[in-house]
Amino acid sequence: MNLLKNKILLILFVSISVFTSCDMEDDANAKKDTLNGLVSDNDDFDSLQKALEVTDLSSTLSGTETFTLFAPTDTAFENFLAENNFATIEEVPTSVLRQILLNHLVAGKIKQEDLPINAYINSQATGFASNSANLSMYFRNVSGETEINGIATVTNGNIYASNGVIHKVNAVLKLPTIIDHIIANPNLSTLSTALESNDQFDFIAELSSVNNGPYTMIAPMNTAFSSLLVELDQPNLAAIGNSTLAQVLKYHFVITTNAFSSSLTDGTSISTYAGDSFSIQSTPANFRIVDINDRLSNITTRDIQCYNGMIHMVDRVLLPNLD
């Protein structure tokens, strides 16, 4: 009887030991298979791992909340440090580095094949313009590859973790200014050229700065500029003249305001950098801007959050009083 009892106790002991061992092994594997665990195990993410540790984001990526991580390679970090005159990751101000890393993180799990094309989603980062509004990320397809903010390309996607997915990228995404987002979107290439080439005002410096903003930029698409040339019977933007074009461009941005579309209510009058105002015409069917000449422009893409302000894309160039 005692022998049978001892055998039963031995079996129970072995069973408990096995189950306990399995549970511990499962816990260890679960931690290893998190986003942070996969980053730690990948030899191409040593710099990213260091950055996550420095900013205390490694714990965020070890939790149960689900994220999509666009993970820069070691080479991407080397280039980032060199371009910004930092010798090591530790030299980057921690608060800045944290926001840069958060700008590579999106809430939820998005497979590579489900990433948006020619569209925006929000990262987890915030900027100078607002400490609560998350920065926008612009995605487009270039020769079959996914490009982000005109800077980084996804080189290896769908690395699955227990709490999300990793997409390897070949560049570190900087915190995008208004100018950065204008340059990144090919639908705004004419606006980009007009801002960059104008010698009457340094639009690039102004709309890249965090010292004079935030700004809200009303950004005409390429088709809007084409229509303007037809309307004014001009062969190209140069024919309009740099001084006049500078005044037109100034009419498209609003100073000291990071204006969400929700704040642009019907009848609101908006003062611009040019001095003239425009007004909002908002109905259930349309969301428009009425310029000082009573010309209507439709807002086609709203709330592109930049580090130093907001962009709303429109289908018609606004014209101030040019008399």
Side-chain angles (χ1 to χ4, degrees):
M1 190 64 152
N2 287 336
L3 181 61
L4 178 59
K5 182 178 180 181
N6 288 337
K7 285 184 178 180
I8 292 173
L9 290 174
L10 179 61
I11 291 171
L12 287 173
F13 174 77
V14 171
S15 299
I16 292 171
S17 298
V18 169
F19 286 132
T20 302
S21 176
C22 289
D23 288 341
M24 293 175 64
E25 185 177 343
D26 288 343
D27 288 343
N29 287 334
K31 290 179 181 179
K32 186 177 180 180
D33 290 341
T34 63
L35 291 167
N36 187 65
L38 294 181
V39 168
S40 300
D41 281 351
N42 193 313
D43 293 337
D44 209 13
F45 294 148
D46 290 342
S47 296
L48 175 58
Q49 181 187 3
K50 172 66 72 174
L52 291 172
E53 291 172 353
V54 168
T55 57
D56 197 31
L57 285 172
S58 54
S59 57
T60 300
L61 299 187
S62 297
T64 57
E65 192 172 358
T66 303
F67 293 105
T68 298
L69 172 64
F70 297 93
T73 63
D74 289 337
T75 301
F77 269 101
E78 288 174 12
N79 293 336
F80 165 77
L81 293 174
E83 290 165 4
N84 292 279
N85 298 315
F86 294 116
T88 64
I89 286 175
E90 287 83 356
E91 289 187 9
V92 184
T94 304
S95 59
V96 175
L97 182 60
R98 181 180 176 85
Q99 291 303 324
I100 288 173
L101 293 178
L102 287 172
N103 198 42
H104 293 75
L105 205 60
V106 174
K109 182 169 72 174
I110 307 175
K111 299 177 183 179
Q112 184 175 5
E113 55 269 27
D114 295 331
L115 291 172
I117 299 176
N118 299 327
Y120 297 87
I121 58 176
N122 291 332
S123 75
Q124 294 294 291
T126 57
F128 162 77
S130 172
N131 59 12
S132 60
N134 296 111
L135 300 182
S136 297
M137 302 172 73
Y138 179 68
F139 292 80
R140 70 183 185 118
N141 187 290
V142 180
S143 301
E145 295 184 316
T146 301
E147 182 186 84
I148 310 170
N149 288 359
I151 294 176
T153 299
V154 175
T155 59
N156 184 17
N158 293 343
I159 304 171
Y160 294 106
S162 60
N163 58 345
V165 63
I166 295 174
H167 305 304
K168 184 183 292 189
V169 295
N170 62 357
V172 174
L173 298 169
K174 62 179 181 177
L175 302 172
T177 65
I178 289 173
I179 287 296
D180 291 327
H181 264 311
I182 289 173
I183 293 172
N185 191 329
N187 295 307
L188 299 175
S189 61
T190 304
L191 174 61
S192 177
T193 300
L195 292 170
E196 187 173 354
S197 61
N198 194 278
D199 61 5
Q200 300 296 302
F201 186 81
D202 195 346
F203 289 100
I204 302 301
E206 191 72 22
L207 296 175
S208 297
S209 172
V210 298
N211 297 318
N212 303 317
Y215 296 113
T216 296
M217 181 75 190
I218 307 301
M221 299 186 297
N222 297 343
T223 52
F225 281 101
S226 298
S227 298
L228 178 68
L229 294 177
V230 173
E231 182 181 350
L232 300 180
D233 194 23
Q234 297 292 343
N236 50 53
L237 290 180
I240 296 175
N242 272 347
S243 180
T244 299
L245 187 57
Q247 192 70 2
V248 171
L249 293 172
K250 287 179 181 179
Y251 189 51
H252 286 77
F253 64 97
V254 183
I255 58 175
T256 68
T257 301
N258 184 70
F260 290 91
S261 59
S262 58
S263 70
L264 303 177
T265 55
D266 186 49
T268 303
S269 180
I270 309 292
S271 299
T272 71
Y273 200 95
D276 290 335
S277 299
F278 58 74
S279 60
I280 302 300
Q281 185 185 92
S282 179
T283 68
N286 295 295
F287 190 24
R288 296 171 170 171
I289 293 175
V290 185
D291 68 21
I292 200 169
N293 296 291
D294 290 328
R295 297 162 65 259
L296 291 173
S297 177
N298 295 295
I299 296 180
T300 58
T301 302
R302 314 178 190 183
D303 300 328
I304 304 169
Q305 183 65 63
C306 311
Y307 185 80
N308 60 337
M310 185 74 75
I311 295 174
H312 304 294
M313 291 170 59
V314 292
D315 64 356
R316 194 175 189 187
V317 176
L318 310 178
L319 288 180
N321 188 349
L322 297 175
D323 294 336

